[in-house]
Amino acid sequence: MTNTKHVEVLKKANDEIARNKGKVENSPYRLKYHFMAPVGWINDPNGLVQYKGEYHLFYQYYPYASSWGPMHWGHAKSKNLVNWEHLPVALAPSESYDSGDVEGYGCFSGSAVVDGDELVLIYTGHVDGNEPQQVQAIATSKDGISFEKYDQNPVIGQFPVDGSKDFRDPKVWKYEDTWYMVVGSKKDGKGKALLYVSTDLKQWDYKGVAAESDGTQGDMWECPDLFPIDDRHALIVSPMYGTQNEKPFYVIGDMNYEEDIFTQETCRTLDYGFDFYAPQTLIDEQGRRIMIGWMEKWLTKMPSQEHGWAGAMGIPRELVLEGDVLKQKPVAELADLRSDFKKIEPFEVVETTNVNELQETVSETSIDFNIKETDATVFGIHLRCSEDGTERTEILLDLEKKEIVMDREHSGCGEKGISKAPLTVTDDGTVNLRIFMDTTSVELFVNDGEKVITNRIFPDADSTQFKLFTNGGKVSINRIESWKLDFVWK
Ligand code: FRU
């Protein structure tokens, strides 16, 4: 039975998008190969899934303005994780459990699974002022385009004893023949991942706390994602400390499906940048675990807002477990965007060197530093650098402090700030930096994705120089390879 109210609000949203999308297409700051909505505001990726061979990406979406508002689920699909086709909005607030008339409400974050020939979305219905204000609901589709909310929603209408009114972002996966779901929550000052099981995605039984903060990992856990990887499990969390959203972390450990408990072993920061939040993963048909994160953060200055849009997704990253380190590798498909290959043979930096070959701002660049032959202790890169050097984004390697830094104090009109990550030199005495630049973003992968720093930057279009520098001593470089990356939004 089709729900007419839902159909109406979806139509209104899709009409609004059709009317306004032309206005942002050529606006400044639009990215060239990152996912963006056609217009309006986006935050978390939702419902990542491969269905009938195609990747689907849903996202928290407010199509009516460039700031957060009643949440819809935007929708796009792709054959290769790189070229995306925008589809009609999948979910819009329409029911008593996901719609209201005061301030905040909507279809909050969640996930998707394929059940037989159906695509099922599992999301949080949020309504400020409702008791309880957050419940879990589902919607299904047979064509992967139009979704119908289940008429017996909500499927979980009350938070359990271990949770509280903050009870959101269900992530569902299948283990053997059972559906498992973790939901983010908080209680007694601790963020928690609450566990449910089901055989039909409709009737859910509460199993207890799968994992919770050890006291240092945040008092509210948003967007928990618990998944098998090799013979271990990983838990990804976007933590809040009070009202502050902090950097997502990952925990490697083991899931005991008999006792419904995930045992935490090692915990590490997932991305040391400012602009990476609410990531979610999917497992694809090739068995790859792929993660996409929101490339922006709550409560920051977003220069694109004046131009009718805000928010983008970071490049999809394949997660590979090496020991207890979750390496993040840009998906192989991104290589299809490469052109205009440049290779620079070994050379030494003894003072600031302007590398003319690397002035392409929409690019991928890989640099191998030879640390054994380097006697400088502090050196690095200035990218998106203006002619006079006053505007720049600095990547600094500090061998003494064993730190890698991305400094955007002079990066242009966006938010400032300095990101730092621990730096390790590999056994063969090198450090590799792989840098993905887009018009207004930098994603830095250190040593094959062992550490990642993601930041938005908003430099002048003319700031295109790429310089290598040392603060004293010489730096030895084994190799630089670089490509221009193609535009996917044409
Ligand atoms: C994370 C988050 C989620 C929530 C959604 C609302 O960024 O706060 O917890 O479901 O955004 O848009």
Side-chain angles (χ1 to χ4, degrees):
M1 200 180 57
T2 310
N3 176 321
T4 37
K5 175 83 191 297
H6 192 213
V7 172
E8 258 167 46
V9 283
L10 285 172
K11 181 173 183 317
K12 192 169 160 238
N14 288 317
D15 288 350
E16 176 78 6
I17 295 163
R19 241 192 328 276
N20 293 325
K21 65 176 190 207
K23 296 182 191 159
V24 306
E25 267 162 17
N26 298 314
S27 90
Y29 314 134
R30 286 299 267 181
L31 295 150
K32 302 298 187 195
Y33 61 90
H34 283 82
F35 181 82
M36 295 167 296
V39 61
W41 163 278
I42 78 177
N43 53 285
D44 314 357
N46 295 150
L48 298 182
V49 71
Q50 198 172 8
Y51 177 61
K52 298 183 179 166
E54 293 180 308
Y55 295 98
H56 288 254
L57 162 64
F58 301 83
Y59 50 93
Q60 289 285 279
Y61 190 28
Y62 189 57
Y64 297 95
S66 57
S67 50
W68 192 91
M71 280 289 106
H72 297 56
W73 275 37
H75 186 194
K77 67 173 186 176
S78 170
K79 290 189 167 58
N80 62 2
L81 293 161
V82 174
N83 298 92
W84 293 95
E85 179 190 342
H86 287 296
L87 294 173
V89 173
L91 296 176
S94 62
E95 309 303 312
S96 58
Y97 55 84
D98 62 20
S99 178
D101 33 42
V102 269
E103 306 254 307
Y105 58 86
C107 305
F108 275 20
S109 285
S111 50
V113 292
V114 178
D115 184 25
D117 64 345
E118 277 192 337
L119 182 53
V120 183
L121 310 182
I122 308 99
Y123 70 100
T124 298
H126 171 100
V127 185
D128 274 5
N130 267 10
E131 291 252 354
Q133 66 170 12
Q134 297 187 331
V135 299
Q136 316 316 322
I138 63 173
T140 56
S141 172
K142 284 211 190 314
D143 63 2
I145 295 177
S146 53
F147 291 84
E148 215 159 291
K149 294 177 184 172
Y150 177 45
D151 59 7
Q152 306 287 309
N153 273 342
V155 292
I156 304 176
Q158 181 60 266
F159 56 81
V161 292
D162 304 310
S164 59
K165 70 180 181 51
D166 287 286
F167 175 56
R168 58 180 176 269
D169 312 335
K171 176 77 199 290
V172 176
W173 75 103
K174 200 177 213 174
Y175 175 75
E176 293 179 342
D177 281 332
T178 305
W179 295 109
Y180 284 78
M181 175 202 284
V182 276
V183 187
S185 195
K186 66 192 282 190
K187 195 169 184 180
D188 305 327
K190 285 182 179 174
K192 290 172 202 279
L194 306 175
L195 189 74
Y196 287 81
V197 300
S198 173
T199 51
D200 63 0
L201 297 165
K202 292 170 179 153
Q203 168 67 44
W204 289 94
D205 295 327
Y206 180 57
K207 289 292 179 182
V209 179
E212 64 179 13
S213 165
D214 63 6
T216 65
Q217 297 161 308
D219 48 41
M220 168 65 198
W221 281 7
E222 294 191 310
C223 305
D225 188 348
L226 180 57
F227 55 89
I229 186 154
D230 297 345
D231 54 356
R232 312 294 309 272
H233 272 68
L235 171 70
I236 290 177
V237 170
S238 295
M240 291 183 75
Y241 294 78
T243 54
Q244 192 65 34
N245 301 84
E246 282 300 340
K247 296 180 188 4
F249 61 80
Y250 71 89
V251 180
I252 302 301
D254 294 300
M255 180 70 195
N256 182 331
Y257 284 96
E258 259 100 71
E259 294 182 12
D260 302 311
I261 286 186
F262 171 76
T263 318
Q264 300 198 35
E265 240 160 60
T266 48
C267 179
R268 292 196 174 84
T269 300
L270 196 54
D271 188 305
Y272 291 82
F274 293 104
D275 294 303
F276 190 78
Y277 196 70
Q280 189 180 95
T281 71
L282 78 145
I283 180 105
D284 77 354
E285 286 162 4
Q286 301 168 42
R288 297 181 299 175
R289 179 61 62 175
I290 294 163
M291 176 179 73
I292 296 179
W294 173 33
M295 195 167 63
E296 201 102 72
K297 174 73 98 33
W298 293 112
L299 306 176
T300 55
K301 184 169 158 191
M302 301 175 187
S304 69
Q305 282 183 310
E306 298 175 31
H307 302 279
W309 66 283
M313 299 303 165
I315 52 175
R317 306 169 185 180
E318 183 180 349
L319 301 180
V320 176
L321 189 64
E322 286 183 25
D324 56 13
V325 175
L326 205 51
K327 287 198 169 175
Q328 301 171 52
K329 311 190 183 206
V331 293
E333 289 89 332
L334 283 158
D336 296 343
L337 298 177
R338 291 171 173 173
S339 66
D340 200 9
F341 177 57
K342 296 178 201 82
K343 184 166 179 172
I344 304 175
E345 300 299 341
F347 71 105
E348 283 179 358
V349 180
V350 283
E351 53 192 62
T352 302
T353 309
N354 198 345
V355 193
N356 286 324
E357 295 94 322
L358 302 180
Q359 298 218 10
E360 183 53 61
T361 54
V362 180
S363 61
E364 174 190 345
T365 301
S366 169
I367 307 181
D368 269 325
F369 290 95
N370 178 344
I371 303 300
K372 279 194 258 173
E373 302 289 316
T374 290
D375 58 26
T377 48
V378 180
F379 52 92
I381 301 165
H382 286 155
L383 50 87
R384 297 304 305 270
C385 189
S386 60
E387 198 87 8
D388 64 1
T390 52
E391 186 170 273
R392 63 186 183 272
T393 297
E394 183 167 291
I395 294 175
L396 192 92
L397 288 82
D398 189 326
L399 298 179
E400 219 146 73
K401 291 193 190 147
K402 296 193 170 51
E403 229 169 47
I404 179 149
V405 174
M406 194 191 298
D407 178 340
R408 52 172 197 180
E409 290 292 303
H410 308 281
S411 295
C413 68
E415 194 83 39
K416 298 190 186 313
I418 297 173
S419 312
K420 291 183 181 174
L423 175 65
T424 41
V425 176
T426 59
D427 293 342
D428 64 1
T430 62
V431 169
N432 175 264
L433 302 187
R434 197 167 162 203
I435 308 167
F436 282 81
M437 285 203 277
D438 203 333
T439 45
T440 54
S441 67
V442 187
E443 286 158 287
L444 169 65
F445 296 82
V446 186
N447 294 337
D448 204 17
E450 188 187 277
K451 303 276 173 358
V452 188
I453 301 180
T454 302
N455 282 318
R456 297 299 298 275
I457 55 166
F458 294 86
D460 199 273
D462 295 336
S463 299
T464 61
Q465 294 192 353
F466 191 103
K467 294 179 179 168
L468 291 161
F469 71 90
T470 149
N471 283 359
K474 85 169 192 231
V475 181
S476 164
I477 290 175
N478 279 346
R479 186 185 51 111
I480 301 183
E481 291 184 339
S482 184
W483 297 263
K484 177 179 167 38
L485 295 182
D486 201 3
F487 301 177
V488 302
W489 307 108
K490 285 184 180 136

